[in-house]
Amino acid sequence: MKKNEVHNLARTSIAQLQPYSSARDEFTDFELDMVFLDANENPFSTDVNRYPDPQQRDVKSLLAAQKGITASKILLGNGSDEVLDLLFRAFCEPNVDNVITLPPTYGMYKVLADINAIENREVLLSTNFEPKVLEILKIQDEKSKLLFLCSPNNPTGNTFSEASILRLLEEFNGLVVIDEAYIDFSETDSWLNKLKKYHNLVITQTLSKAYGMAGIRLGICYASEEIIALLNKIKPPYNINELTQQRAFERLVNIEDVSNEVEHILEEKTSVSKQLLEIPFIEKIYPSEANFILVKVDDATKRYTQLLKQGIVVRNRSNQPLCENTLRLTIGTSAENKKLIKSLQKII
Ligand SMILES: *Cc1c(COP(=O)(O)O)cnc(C)c1O
């Protein structure tokens, strides 16, 4: 896809939109000792009496440096769920356009399609949880605007083959959104270094999983400057609050804490996987490049309830296609994982 073709993909009303310009958009030069009487704020300090930076420059510049990308290719959202919603609203005309999703996968794509009145064309993953490339390409038409690839995939835990993703990037005629919520747990490289080559590539990441900041709600979108500019036009001006920006900044400054925790979680995952092998009613442990493990059991509802009675909450994924009788187990602390294994052994 060429650069200018991206613009043609956008909804006409969005491409033509004159966005709201906030007080903080119009004047940003905080270097000088300025008196700010432009935004009707209360002048007495509460530490948060001022509106936050609508472009989140501090957080973005740290991210940009760490990821080796320019800040103009980054958009931040109130969780990646907001980023995904912005993509729908910028590119999908209600009751006209469609998107393609690949169940079993993250449930929000379908919900967002429903909210935005967009047809959701589903192409099930293969039995080894890989995209069926030919079927996807066959089902697309000129109204197919977004294709969602979750890799590593939730709830299956695998990453999709590089060859499949490359072919979809080459031949899908809309935007290919790769949801990398779990990429920091994976051996596989992020698709970030392919942004220059593929103008239809959109990558979402989040501080909710590996970064340990689900509570502050910070999602990240990486894409071409053209796509980011379109999304910037429609995002709420102050969508990332001041406290979130501060906490995200502090976490990103101490990025080696994140790596250490990830390493620890991965060690725990190896150890949990080994012990799960010894549980007779666990029939299959799916390979995982994320911070959770999907297991097939004899009777998921029964085992889910038994764990619950012992105070352990896991996710029953049985209602998802290709996932009958599966439970998704998040890797916790060493003590939590020990408790999980003990409880599973007790059930026997
Ligand atoms: C958890 C998760 C997210 C995170 O969403 P946030 O809104 O950033 O918390 C996104 N995508 C997938 C596949 C997830 O599992």
Side-chain angles (χ1 to χ4, degrees):
M1 182 171 295
K2 301 208 179 62
K3 269 189 181 177
N4 55 347
E5 287 177 324
V6 165
H7 210 73
N8 300 338
L9 273 184
R11 294 167 66 195
T12 317
S13 55
I14 303 303
Q16 293 171 352
L17 178 78
Q18 192 61 43
Y20 176 73
S21 176
S22 71
R24 273 313 151 264
D25 274 320
E26 288 179 11
F27 194 88
T28 56
D29 196 357
F30 287 89
E31 304 293 305
L32 304 165
D33 196 13
M34 288 290 184
V35 176
F36 283 99
L37 304 177
D38 58 346
N40 301 344
E41 298 148 332
N42 179 331
F44 298 104
S45 176
T46 59
D47 281 342
V48 287
N49 56 311
R50 297 293 177 185
Y51 278 101
D53 175 5
Q55 289 305 324
Q56 311 99 21
R57 288 169 184 81
D58 292 344
V59 175
K60 277 187 193 165
S61 71
L62 260 186
L63 269 178
Q66 289 175 2
K67 302 287 180 179
I69 198 172
T70 66
S72 54
K73 293 185 175 177
I74 304 176
L75 173 123
L76 303 181
N78 185 350
S80 26
D81 289 348
E82 185 185 37
V83 170
L84 298 171
D85 187 52
L86 290 174
L87 286 165
F88 272 94
R89 292 200 285 137
F91 292 96
C92 302
E93 194 65 38
N95 300 308
V96 174
D97 290 331
N98 67 74
V99 299
I100 299 177
T101 62
L102 317 179
T105 193
Y106 187 45
M108 275 308 283
Y109 314 137
K110 178 183 162 46
V111 172
L112 288 168
D114 289 345
I115 290 170
N116 288 285
I118 303 301
E119 180 194 351
N120 175 32
R121 299 189 175 177
E122 299 189 330
V123 181
L124 290 196
L125 294 173
S126 66
T127 47
N128 59 342
F129 300 140
E130 285 285 340
K132 292 180 183 163
V133 174
L134 292 179
E135 282 191 33
I136 295 167
L137 294 175
K138 218 163 71 190
I139 209 176
Q140 75 168 334
D141 60 22
E142 73 281 5
K143 300 292 184 197
S144 302
K145 296 301 174 71
L146 306 172
L147 165 64
F148 290 97
L149 305 177
C150 186
S151 182
N153 187 39
N154 178 3
T156 60
N158 63 304
T159 51
F160 296 156
S161 94
E162 186 179 345
S164 298
I165 295 182
L166 278 175
R167 175 117 192 244
L168 290 167
L169 278 167
E170 300 274 358
E171 297 186 37
F172 183 66
N173 55 34
L175 301 185
V176 176
V177 183
I178 306 185
D179 185 338
E180 293 190 336
Y182 298 97
I183 194 66
D184 301 286
F185 298 107
S186 171
E187 300 271 298
T188 313
D189 281 344
S190 162
W191 283 81
L192 265 181
N193 53 13
K194 296 284 194 297
L195 267 187
K196 270 208 181 94
K197 181 158 186 202
Y198 295 103
H199 297 293
N200 60 339
L201 172 59
V202 176
I203 294 164
T204 64
Q205 294 182 359
T206 176
L207 296 204
S208 295
K209 306 287 159 59
Y211 285 74
M213 308 228 94
I216 68 170
R217 312 302 302 128
L218 195 86
I220 309 162
C221 177
Y222 301 98
S224 69
E225 286 180 12
E226 289 74 18
I227 294 173
I228 295 298
L230 277 165
L231 300 178
N232 261 323
K233 289 210 307 186
I234 63 170
K235 81 172 184 66
Y238 302 112
N239 64 329
I240 311 296
N241 71 67
E242 179 62 30
L243 300 174
T244 294
Q245 293 190 42
Q246 286 176 12
R247 293 294 295 270
F249 187 86
E250 288 162 19
R251 187 66 164 163
L252 290 168
V253 166
N254 296 302
I255 193 72
E256 63 289 352
D257 293 351
V258 176
S259 328
N260 290 338
E261 287 168 21
V262 165
E263 214 155 288
H264 187 81
I265 290 167
L266 291 178
E267 281 165 16
E268 282 295 317
K269 184 172 72 171
T270 308
S271 147
V272 169
S273 299
K274 264 194 210 135
Q275 297 174 81
L276 290 176
L277 284 172
E278 310 293 321
I279 310 292
F281 60 79
I282 293 183
E283 296 169 1
K284 184 159 185 178
I285 301 164
Y286 293 92
S288 163
E289 294 206 39
N291 65 333
F292 56 81
I293 303 173
L294 189 74
V295 296
K296 193 182 258 316
V297 297
D298 55 347
D299 182 342
T301 307
K302 176 174 157 194
R303 303 309 181 186
Y304 174 84
T305 313
Q306 287 173 323
L307 281 173
L308 208 54
K309 278 192 186 132
Q310 300 186 68
I312 294 180
V313 190
V314 299
R315 200 89 198 265
N316 188 350
R317 295 284 73 190
S318 297
N319 54 358
Q320 292 245 348
L322 307 172
C323 291
E324 308 87 80
N325 284 318
T326 59
L327 300 175
R328 193 191 66 194
L329 317 170
T330 307
I331 303 301
T333 63
S334 174
E336 290 170 336
N337 301 331
K338 279 202 183 89
K339 201 173 164 216
L340 168 72
I341 298 295
K342 247 194 165 156
S343 303
L344 287 168
Q345 287 166 343
K346 236 198 232 160
I347 289 173
I348 312 162

